[in-house]
């Protein structure tokens, strides 16, 4: 088995040899790699056979439907070919944090927590995420936590002022009681303190819970009533009152740069007298008429400001709804950044995104196991995973070009001068005429700034590492309504097209600048919206073929039938086995593949249309923040594993239409039973099986999550139109 070992910076005695250095990390190639390679070669041969057979059929019949099927199968072949790179050389790594030097030798760490809308991302949750990072087992003097509030909301700043007070009690409590999950929101929501890894019960925990609940209540009151600076209940200092008086002149998209240092490690102590990490609230300047470049712009402003304030060589980017579940996760990242071999061209260490509160079947495929776990293993074998936007430890020097390194970086010892400089670099016009967003910092030009940034860093010669400890290091929230899940994926589709369809495409530029394997993996991610072509085709044409008794596939007695059967069964079987191999369940795999079909029909289709409109300068919907707030009824349906269709959405019109077409085709196929159309029947039956939640929502349910009547009416009308169109196509 292929393996590799990297050396640490100190010598230890291993296996009796006093000169062998203890490795900080190791890797080995996945043991299933040979099987994946053999399967890829066999499957590639079968695809060539299918294309030849389809071309022969087209030449014999000149059928429009046959031609469209060929297009769909060519896209399937392209996407499959790109995806094989993930399976060609997947690697697994292991870290040894106990072999690190003492904490005083660790580099400084800046943590970036990004939020944009207090209505969709509750401030208390954002504060809890920041507190979980402040509670890292890391030298306080080397740790700074920044919250980037791109909504410029006064309630978010107020929440962090409250959070800074609470942190003086929370951090020593976690440290002294061995708390593992250091998000207070999660800790106090658990049924018992032991479920969050706490050795203390009653007493201190109960008092701290009351303190936390009081903080939450104060923040929620401000959310509901607004901030009144003359209120005795708010207990604001004179300086805080002046801050919030100025806030009355601000709006979310029209305000100056706002930087408030809430805690200083060289001044502020917790209740036990130990130093606290720096805590800084940051909101960049926004003015009408100046592009803000969404999250990438926010991160770049914070990157510049933090260079002046603390200038840590390491940065952790973390979404506001992700929290730390392992206070030693920075040490795992250091096993690579302090490795003299691995760190030379190391841009970032990527931890997987994992999610809390998923129901047993994960009905919306919220785990996204392929994207967040299986694919990164494969990319790591070619130079490293893509940047996932959260749970990522980055090297600051990788985000700057060499000419900018070392220009800034000061301690928080001269508050007025330093804050003045930091405010200046957060101005909305600072980047005009510069290389920010192009060759410096997080890259612009895509709604998927994470994919774009990681792609460019690797094209510039940087590497990355996938760090996946047995125990989750970070947990977050996945969308828990179907509409939110599909909307999020549609936004990603547009952003990924913006990476793929450029002069520096992943398929051409990426292959030349990185490697064939890495270029193909990035292409699979960038062009995943193209799945809409084959999936929509297979959701419509076989069904229409059944209704019109016009075969599209070989009959069951034809040897070519078995080739098609092999391609379908082998693809799904391998995907199922891979899913289970990565600690999934059969039930969750079924949900995952069903959601892939749903995304292909809706998210990928609408994302493709939106991208095309954008390229033609046709106005489309802009970036939206995923909603993190749910009502009790929605949450109950999700926990019970019941799909939520209670929104009048074009997504659900398309899904209902596809479900009705599959049902029509299947019923007609049974009634007419044609031995020459077994393949069409099997595909249509598979569509019916996947559509069962839609049939329930349309015909059987009465709760608020049922399919709205307007959606059903439009779906029936659209189904009739498609059936009529199919009759014309197949009988022309």
């Amino acid at each position: 088995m292929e393996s590799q070992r990297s050396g640490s910076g100190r010598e230890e005695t291993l296996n009796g040899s006093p000169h062998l250095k203890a490795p900080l990390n190791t890797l080995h190639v996945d043991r299933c790699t040979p099987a994946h390679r053999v399967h890829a070669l066999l499957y590639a041969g079968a695809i060539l056979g299918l294309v030849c057979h389809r071309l022969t059929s087209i030449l014999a019949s000149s059928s429009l439907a046959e031609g469209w099927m060929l297009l769909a199968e060519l896209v399937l072949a392209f996407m499959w070919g790109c995806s094989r790179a993930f399976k060609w050389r997947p690697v697994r790594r292991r870290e040894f944090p106990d072999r690190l030097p003492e904490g005083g030798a660790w580099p400084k760490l800046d943590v970036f927590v990004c939020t944009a809308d207090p209505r969709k991302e509750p401030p208390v949750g954002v504060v809890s995420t920041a507190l979980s990072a402040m509670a890292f087992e890391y030298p306080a003097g080397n740790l700074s936590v920044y919250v980037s509030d791109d909504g410029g909301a006064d309630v978010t700043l107020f929440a962090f002022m409250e959070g800074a007070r609470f942190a003086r009690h929370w951090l020593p409590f976690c440290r002294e009681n061995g708390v593992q999950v250091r998000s207070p929101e999660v800790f106090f929501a658990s049924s018992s303190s032991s479920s969050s890894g706490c050795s203390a019960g009653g007493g201190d925990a109960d008092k701290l819970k009351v303190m936390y609940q009081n903080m939450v209540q104060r923040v929620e009151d401000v959310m509901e009533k607004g901030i009144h600076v003359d209120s005795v209940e708010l207990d604001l200092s004179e300086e805080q009152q002046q801050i919030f008086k100025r806030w009355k002149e601000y709006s979310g998209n029209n305000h100056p740069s706002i930087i408030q240092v809430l805690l200083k490690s060289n001044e502020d102590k917790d209740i036990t007298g130990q130093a606290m990490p720096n805590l800084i609230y940051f909101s960049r300047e926004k003015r009408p008429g100046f592009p803000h470049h969404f999250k990438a712009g926010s991160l770049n402003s914070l990157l510049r400001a933090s260079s002046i304030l603390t200038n840590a060589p390491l940065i952790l980017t973390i979404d506001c709804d992700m929290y730390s579940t392992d206070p030693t996760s920075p040490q795992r990242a250091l096993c690579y950044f302090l490795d003299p071999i691995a760190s030379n061209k190391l841009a970032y260490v990527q931890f997987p995104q994992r999610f809390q509160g998923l129901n047993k079947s994960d009905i919306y495929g919220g785990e996204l196991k392929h994207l967040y776990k299986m694919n990164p293993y494969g990319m790591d074998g070619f130079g490293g995973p893509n940047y996932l936007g959260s749970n990522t430890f980055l090297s600051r020097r990788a985000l700057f070009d060499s000419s900018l390194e070392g220009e800034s970086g000061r301690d928080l010892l001269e508050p007025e001068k330093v804050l003045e400089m930091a405010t200046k670099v957060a101005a909305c016009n600072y980047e005009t005429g510069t290389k920010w967003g192009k060759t410096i910092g997080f890259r612009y030009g895509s709604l998927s700034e994470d994919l774009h940034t990681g792609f460019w860093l690797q094209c510039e010669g940087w590497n990355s590492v996938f760090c996946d400890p047995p125990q989750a290091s970070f947990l977050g929230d996945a969308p828990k309504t179907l509409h939110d899940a599909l909307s999020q994926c549609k936004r990603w589709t547009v952003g990924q097209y913006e990476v793929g369809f450029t002069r520096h495409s992943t398929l051409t530029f990426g292959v030349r600048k990185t490697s064939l394997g890495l270029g193909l993996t990035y292409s699979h991610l960038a062009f995943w919206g193209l799945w809409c072509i084959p999936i929509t085709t297979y959701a419509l044409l076989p069904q229409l073929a059944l209704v019109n008794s016009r075969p599209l596939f070989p009959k069951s007695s034809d040897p070519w039938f078995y080739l098609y059967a092999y391609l379908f069964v082998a693809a799904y079987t391998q995907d199922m086995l891979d899913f289970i191999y990565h600690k999934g369940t059969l039930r969750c795999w079924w949900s995952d593949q069903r959601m892939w079909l749903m995304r292909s029909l809706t998210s990928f289709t609408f994302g493709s249309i939106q991208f095309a409109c954008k390229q033609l300068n046709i106005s489309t919907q802009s970036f939206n923040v995923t909603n993190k707030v749910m009502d009790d009824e929605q949450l109950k349906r999700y926990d019970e594993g019941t799909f939520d269709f209670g929104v009048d959405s074009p997504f659900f019109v398309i899904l209902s239409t596809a479900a009705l077409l599959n049902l029509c085709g299947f019923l007609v196929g049974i009634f007419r039973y044609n031995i020459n159309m077994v393949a069409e029947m099997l595909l249509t039956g598979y569509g019916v099986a996947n559509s069962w939640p839609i049939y329930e929502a349309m015909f059987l349910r009465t709760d608020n999550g049922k399919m709205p009547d307007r959606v059903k009416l439009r779906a029936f009308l659209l189904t009739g139109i498609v059936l009529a169109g199919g009759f014309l196509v197949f009988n022309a």
Side-chain angles (χ1 to χ4, degrees):
M1 182 176 292
E2 183 180 351
S3 64
Q4 177 179 320
R5 184 179 67 190
S6 300
S8 72
R10 60 197 181 99
E11 293 189 359
E12 289 187 8
T13 300
L14 294 179
N15 300 325
S17 172
H19 303 292
L20 187 62
K21 292 184 178 180
L24 288 175
N25 58 83
T26 59
L27 71 80
H28 69 269
V29 177
D30 193 279
R31 64 178 181 270
C32 294
T33 298
H36 286 311
R37 293 178 179 179
V38 170
H39 168 75
L41 294 174
L42 292 173
Y43 204 86
I47 289 175
L48 288 175
L50 178 147
V51 172
C52 291
H53 179 262
R54 186 66 72 183
L55 284 171
T56 302
S57 300
I58 291 173
L59 293 174
S61 65
S62 299
S63 167
L64 178 61
E66 289 271 7
W68 194 259
M69 290 296 294
L70 175 63
L71 173 63
E73 286 157 359
L74 288 174
V75 174
L76 275 175
F78 169 73
M79 295 301 292
W80 176 86
C82 290
S83 70
R84 287 314 89 193
F86 293 117
K87 305 297 181 186
W88 198 253
R89 191 181 180 271
V91 299
R92 293 178 177 269
R93 298 180 181 270
R94 183 183 177 190
E95 305 80 37
F96 302 94
D98 57 307
R99 297 173 182 172
L100 287 169
E102 296 299 323
W106 297 350
K108 289 185 177 181
L109 172 64
D110 287 345
V111 180
F112 294 174
V113 181
C114 295
T115 185
D117 187 341
R119 293 165 297 180
K120 294 184 177 181
E121 298 168 336
V124 169
V126 184
V127 169
S128 288
T129 293
L131 287 172
S132 74
M134 291 176 67
F136 281 148
E137 293 182 6
Y138 210 82
N142 289 4
L143 179 62
S144 301
V145 176
Y146 293 81
V147 56
S148 176
D149 177 18
D150 224 28
D154 54 358
V155 66
T156 302
L157 175 57
F158 176 79
F160 271 86
M161 289 176 173
E162 293 292 300
R165 294 182 186 179
F166 181 71
R168 300 176 190 273
H169 302 265
W170 176 246
L171 300 191
F173 174 80
C174 293
R175 187 171 58 243
E176 293 170 2
N177 293 289
V179 177
Q180 186 73 7
V181 178
R182 299 187 176 185
S183 161
E185 182 179 46
V186 177
F187 179 84
F188 292 119
S190 61
S191 58
S192 65
S193 56
S194 61
S195 65
S196 292
C198 178
S199 59
D204 292 341
D206 293 338
K207 292 178 182 177
L208 208 60
K209 184 174 184 178
V210 171
M211 190 181 302
Y212 171 74
Q213 291 172 336
N214 289 338
M215 180 190 78
V216 171
Q217 188 61 55
R218 284 161 59 85
V219 174
E220 289 180 347
D221 287 345
V222 168
M223 281 280 290
E224 181 181 352
K225 303 173 184 177
I227 292 180
H228 303 285
V229 295
D230 54 352
S231 172
V232 176
E233 293 180 1
L234 291 183
D235 189 24
L236 297 175
S237 67
E238 185 174 342
E239 179 185 2
Q240 291 172 336
Q241 290 182 35
Q242 293 303 316
I243 292 171
F244 290 117
K245 282 180 180 178
R246 292 197 302 271
W247 219 287
K248 294 180 179 179
E249 304 171 7
Y250 303 162
S251 68
N253 290 309
N254 189 5
H255 63 80
S257 304
I258 306 163
I259 302 176
Q260 295 293 327
V261 180
L262 303 176
L263 292 172
K264 296 181 183 179
S265 63
N266 58 351
E267 295 181 8
D268 293 294
K269 311 290 183 184
D270 62 31
I271 60 172
T272 65
Q274 292 201 29
M276 301 190 69
N278 297 313
L279 177 62
I280 302 103
Y281 172 90
F282 173 86
S283 186
R284 58 175 167 151
E285 181 182 17
K286 279 191 174 181
R287 300 295 184 191
F290 287 88
H292 57 82
H293 301 292
F294 305 106
K295 185 178 177 181
S298 173
L299 286 169
N300 278 340
S301 294
L302 185 51
L303 184 63
R304 293 191 297 270
S306 65
S307 293
I308 291 170
L309 296 172
T310 49
N311 199 36
L314 297 184
I315 295 167
L316 166 63
T317 58
I318 182 172
D319 285 345
C320 65
D321 62 335
M322 282 276 173
Y323 61 89
S324 168
T325 57
D326 179 5
T328 66
S329 57
Q331 285 91 302
R332 291 191 176 274
L334 290 181
C335 287
Y336 300 100
F337 284 112
L338 296 185
D339 185 324
I341 298 175
S343 64
N344 186 38
K345 292 294 290 183
L346 181 59
Y348 54 90
V349 175
Q350 179 65 61
F351 284 72
Q353 292 196 31
R354 297 182 182 176
F355 302 97
Q356 62 179 349
L358 300 177
N359 57 36
K360 291 182 179 179
S361 298
D362 188 15
I363 56 174
Y364 301 141
E367 188 179 12
L368 290 169
K369 189 181 286 287
H370 290 84
L371 182 64
Y372 291 143
K373 188 164 185 178
M374 296 162 67
N375 291 352
Y377 276 128
M379 298 181 78
D380 207 1
F382 290 111
N386 57 305
Y387 171 41
L388 296 176
S390 184
N391 312 345
T392 316
F393 291 84
L394 299 108
S395 168
R396 186 182 291 268
R397 69 189 180 98
L399 296 168
F400 286 84
D401 67 20
S402 57
S403 64
L404 293 182
E405 285 188 64
E407 284 190 359
S408 56
R410 294 164 176 79
D411 293 325
L412 298 175
L413 300 178
E414 306 172 78
E416 294 183 7
K417 182 178 178 181
V418 171
L419 286 177
E420 180 182 347
M421 295 175 62
T423 301
K424 181 180 177 181
V425 301
C428 60
N429 62 348
Y430 182 85
E431 295 179 354
T432 304
T434 71
K435 295 181 179 179
W436 280 95
K438 299 174 183 176
T439 60
I440 306 171
F442 298 87
R443 306 306 159 90
Y444 301 155
S446 170
L447 290 176
S448 295
E449 80 293 326
D450 46 6
L451 182 71
H452 200 194
T453 300
F455 172 65
W456 267 103
L457 287 173
Q458 294 194 304
C459 285
E460 292 168 356
W462 295 93
N463 297 319
S464 59
V465 161
F466 188 55
C467 181
D468 184 22
Q471 188 70 26
S473 294
F474 300 92
L475 282 177
D477 292 318
K480 291 185 173 63
T481 69
L482 181 57
H483 190 266
D484 283 346
L486 296 176
S487 297
Q488 181 188 63
C489 191
K490 186 197 77 169
R491 185 177 73 244
W492 291 347
T493 299
V494 176
Q496 287 163 308
Y497 273 145
E498 290 168 336
V499 178
F501 286 107
T502 64
R503 183 164 59 91
H504 299 102
S505 173
T506 55
L507 195 58
T508 53
F509 182 78
V511 169
R512 293 198 314 270
K513 288 293 184 178
T514 57
S515 65
L516 176 61
L518 199 60
L520 289 177
T521 59
Y522 268 109
S523 295
H524 183 273
L525 297 171
F527 296 113
W528 74 342
L530 295 179
W531 283 119
C532 69
I533 296 174
I535 301 306
T536 302
T537 299
Y538 275 83
L540 300 179
L541 285 187
Q543 295 74 10
L544 294 174
L546 271 174
V547 171
N548 291 278
S549 298
R550 294 290 189 273
L552 286 176
F553 299 98
K555 57 186 178 181
S556 57
S557 60
D558 189 331
W560 286 104
F561 172 85
Y562 298 99
L563 176 68
Y564 283 85
Y566 165 74
L567 288 168
F568 180 87
V569 173
Y572 269 88
T573 301
Q574 186 193 36
D575 187 67
M576 178 186 67
L577 293 176
D578 284 348
F579 197 92
I580 294 173
Y581 177 68
H582 285 88
K583 300 180 180 179
T585 65
L586 189 60
R587 181 188 293 183
C588 288
W589 170 79
W590 178 260
S591 296
D592 183 80
Q593 65 84 32
R594 178 173 55 201
M595 275 303 298
W596 170 63
L597 297 174
M598 287 185 171
R599 292 188 191 104
S600 298
L601 288 170
T602 56
S603 306
F604 297 164
T605 300
F606 283 93
S608 299
I609 294 171
Q610 183 174 329
F611 173 75
C613 291
K614 192 172 182 180
Q615 297 306 109
L616 297 172
N617 292 319
I618 299 174
S619 178
T620 57
Q621 188 177 8
S622 61
F623 175 86
N624 289 315
V625 178
T626 303
N627 187 25
K628 311 296 193 306
V629 181
M630 294 180 64
D631 62 44
D632 292 339
E633 190 175 345
Q634 287 177 316
L635 189 58
K636 180 181 178 182
R637 283 196 292 270
Y638 178 78
D639 289 340
E640 292 173 349
T642 303
F643 276 73
D644 196 326
F645 292 98
V647 177
D648 185 357
S649 167
F651 289 158
F652 299 157
V653 174
I654 299 299
L655 290 176
S656 299
T657 300
L660 290 172
L661 282 171
N662 274 275
L663 186 59
C664 287
F666 190 68
L667 293 176
V668 170
I670 291 176
F671 180 74
R672 291 180 180 172
Y673 184 69
N674 187 338
I675 191 64
N676 294 326
M677 300 190 72
V678 173
E680 288 84 352
M681 275 293 294
L682 291 174
L683 282 172
T684 303
Y686 193 70
V688 169
N690 276 286
S691 299
W692 176 249
I694 301 173
Y695 301 138
E696 275 190 321
M698 293 183 73
F699 305 119
L700 302 177
R701 288 169 54 184
T702 58
D703 59 86
N704 290 335
K706 68 178 181 178
M707 197 74 73
D709 291 338
R710 292 178 62 184
V711 171
K712 289 190 285 187
L713 177 60
R714 283 178 289 202
F716 276 108
L717 289 173
L718 187 55
T719 301
I721 293 171
V722 173
L723 287 171
F727 177 81
L728 294 176
V729 169
F730 282 98
N731 295 279

